[in-house]
Amino acid sequence: MTYPDAPGERRTAPEAFPAPSRHPGLRGREGANAPPRRAHAAPEPSGAAARPPTSPAAVAAPAAGGDQGTGPLVRPYTVTGGRTRPKGTGLDMISLVVAARTRIDWRMLEPEHADILRLCRRPVSVAEVSARLDLPMTVVKVLLGDLISRGDVHTRAPRPAAEPPEMNILQAVLDGIRKL
Amino acid sequence: MESASFEQAPAGAMAPAIPAAVKILVAGGFGAGKTTLVGAVSEIPPLNTEEVMTEASLGVDDLDGVEQKTTTTVALDFGRITVNDEVVLYLFGTPGQGRFWFMWDELARGALGAVVLADTRRLDTCFPSVDFFEERGMPFVIAVNRFDGDCPYTAAEIRAALDVGGEVDVLMSDARDREAGKNVLITLVEQAIRRNGGAGAALD
């Protein structure tokens, strides 16, 4: 595999990452006696650790490449009436959603809203709704925003990302994996 | 109609307690076995979703003052492990292609940690992942995927090549094997607990 626009190269963007390319000249080393070595990462300036490895130039690259079909990128929004942003729901891809009511007037629902309500009789994540309905997550977030604002769906957002995971959660995950 | 069973739900089930959701990322180069690993430990067959990334969500608004309308679709494979009634763990295979790099920040937000799958046939394809998690200070482990038991290097050689800190575990693994996958995840979460204050240091 080649990296025509590998992150290591993107990081040479002056504003985002001044560090040089991390793995120059390492391709084609298959069969060598020693594995290719990763160049040691230059220390980041204080406070820069959380900075996303993106820059405007890097982000624009996929579009500039022109290798994406355009059709599927636009059509999903027809089911949202052209809306591409959920209304302040703060939904994350692992936000869990669950139907809030036991009595639903299905005749009043758009088909996509009804599909979502059927899926979330038990708590499911936004990503699962997206996968099961074969709709992009962005679209699902918009539709879920409708349902949440009408009180048809409850949600629990993931814990705040800025805080370290709670120890009891980590311990529960550890125990859960061990029991698999 | 099809809603019947739903409407007959007991009144007390109005708003079931919603579990907490957490996630672990599975990263690595294209073909390193990310989806295979997810599938080996997930309780559901890996699902595929896609996120449409738009110019606005990418924060691109400053390209020489010219407004760029960019849209791209990123596909993600993921699996689920129901930890208990209160916690659900999701495993996300992150896009291996470099051009999806911009997606990683959103993916990584709030993650407990990451597994970097190293493919010894193309070890350099995991370097960007290692760089990313190292710079974020996120717990991560290197799982060396032994395709058909073939690994020309030792874990020590891989560690030396990747030049990772001592807190980063390097394991020989097999992405297809459930027990091996569990071991990788256990090692990762143990590391997260150690990094999180060490209260779990006496776990074993």
Side-chain angles (χ1 to χ4, degrees):
Chain A
M1 169 177 182
T2 59
Y3 274 92
D5 51 359
E9 289 155 9
R10 289 181 179 185
R11 289 187 205 169
T12 59
E15 186 194 351
F17 282 92
S21 180
R22 300 292 164 83
H23 49 91
L26 284 167
R27 299 183 193 109
R29 292 286 302 273
E30 291 90 345
N33 289 330
R37 301 184 70 86
R38 182 177 73 108
H40 189 62
E44 293 290 325
S46 173
R51 180 178 295 182
T54 56
S55 68
V59 166
D67 55 351
Q68 285 283 339
T70 54
L73 307 183
V74 178
R75 254 180 270 138
Y77 291 105
T78 56
V79 303
T80 66
R83 293 167 298 149
T84 59
R85 299 287 200 89
K87 288 177 295 188
T89 56
L91 288 172
D92 182 83
M93 64 180 74
I94 60 167
S95 294
L96 295 184
V97 292
V98 64
R101 303 181 199 275
T102 54
R103 303 196 67 83
I104 304 286
D105 187 349
W106 297 96
R107 296 164 301 180
M108 297 295 289
L109 291 169
E110 297 291 332
E112 290 80 10
H113 287 141
D115 288 342
I116 290 177
L117 282 176
R118 285 188 198 96
L119 270 177
C120 57
R121 294 172 190 186
R122 297 167 62 183
V124 293
S125 63
V126 170
E128 280 171 288
V129 174
S130 163
R132 301 283 186 198
L133 297 185
D134 199 19
L135 288 171
M137 265 190 285
T138 321
V139 172
V140 167
K141 288 177 188 173
V142 172
L143 296 171
L144 277 167
D146 297 338
L147 292 165
I148 290 168
S149 66
R150 296 205 302 246
D152 287 336
V153 162
H154 289 319
T155 183
R156 171 172 175 170
R159 64 184 181 78
E163 298 173 10
E166 295 165 30
M167 198 60 89
N168 61 334
I169 297 248
L170 288 172
Q171 188 64 51
V173 169
L174 185 58
D175 294 342
I177 295 168
R178 281 179 171 152
K179 279 189 294 192
L180 283 180
Chain B
M1 58 187 277
E2 55 197 336
S3 61
S5 62
F6 192 33
E7 290 173 352
Q8 287 167 3
M14 281 279 291
I18 304 179
V22 294
K23 65 185 169 186
I24 286 174
L25 307 186
V26 180
F30 180 79
K34 299 184 292 292
T35 306
T36 305
L37 173 60
V38 169
V41 294
S42 172
E43 68 197 21
I44 55 172
L47 294 171
N48 180 266
T49 182
E50 58 183 38
E51 179 74 302
V52 178
M53 303 297 289
T54 63
E55 159 239 357
S57 63
L58 295 175
V60 180
D61 56 6
D62 191 24
L63 291 172
D64 300 321
V66 179
E67 185 173 344
Q68 298 273 328
K69 196 72 177 176
T70 64
T71 321
T72 191
T73 305
V74 181
L76 300 167
D77 291 322
F78 66 98
R80 182 185 68 206
I81 296 172
T82 301
V83 167
N84 56 32
D85 290 343
E86 296 168 0
V87 182
V88 181
L89 168 65
Y90 287 94
L91 303 167
F92 280 89
T94 63
Q97 298 90 328
R99 66 194 182 88
F100 293 141
W101 201 246
F102 60 86
M103 181 82 181
W104 282 43
D105 198 52
E106 180 177 348
L107 271 172
R109 196 180 305 137
L112 300 185
V115 175
V116 175
L117 272 174
D119 179 349
T120 55
R121 300 167 302 185
R122 295 163 298 184
L123 189 62
D124 56 327
T125 59
C126 81
F127 292 175
S129 308
V130 172
D131 287 347
F132 180 84
F133 298 119
E134 192 173 76
E135 284 164 12
R136 288 190 70 96
M138 181 182 290
F140 71 101
V141 299
I142 311 288
V144 183
N145 192 11
R146 286 192 291 196
F147 292 90
D148 300 320
D150 178 32
C151 180
Y153 312 121
T154 66
E157 285 174 317
I158 300 282
R159 171 181 291 282
L162 294 177
D163 192 20
V164 288
E167 74 281 6
V168 177
D169 305 270
V170 180
L171 301 83
M172 291 298 178
S173 191
D174 181 339
R176 301 163 299 187
D177 184 74
R178 184 175 175 87
E179 288 304 314
K182 280 172 57 179
N183 190 43
V184 168
L185 294 178
I186 288 168
T187 304
L188 171 63
V189 179
E190 285 177 341
Q191 181 194 132
I193 288 174
R194 280 197 306 274
R195 288 201 190 192
N196 204 18
L203 277 171
D204 293 311

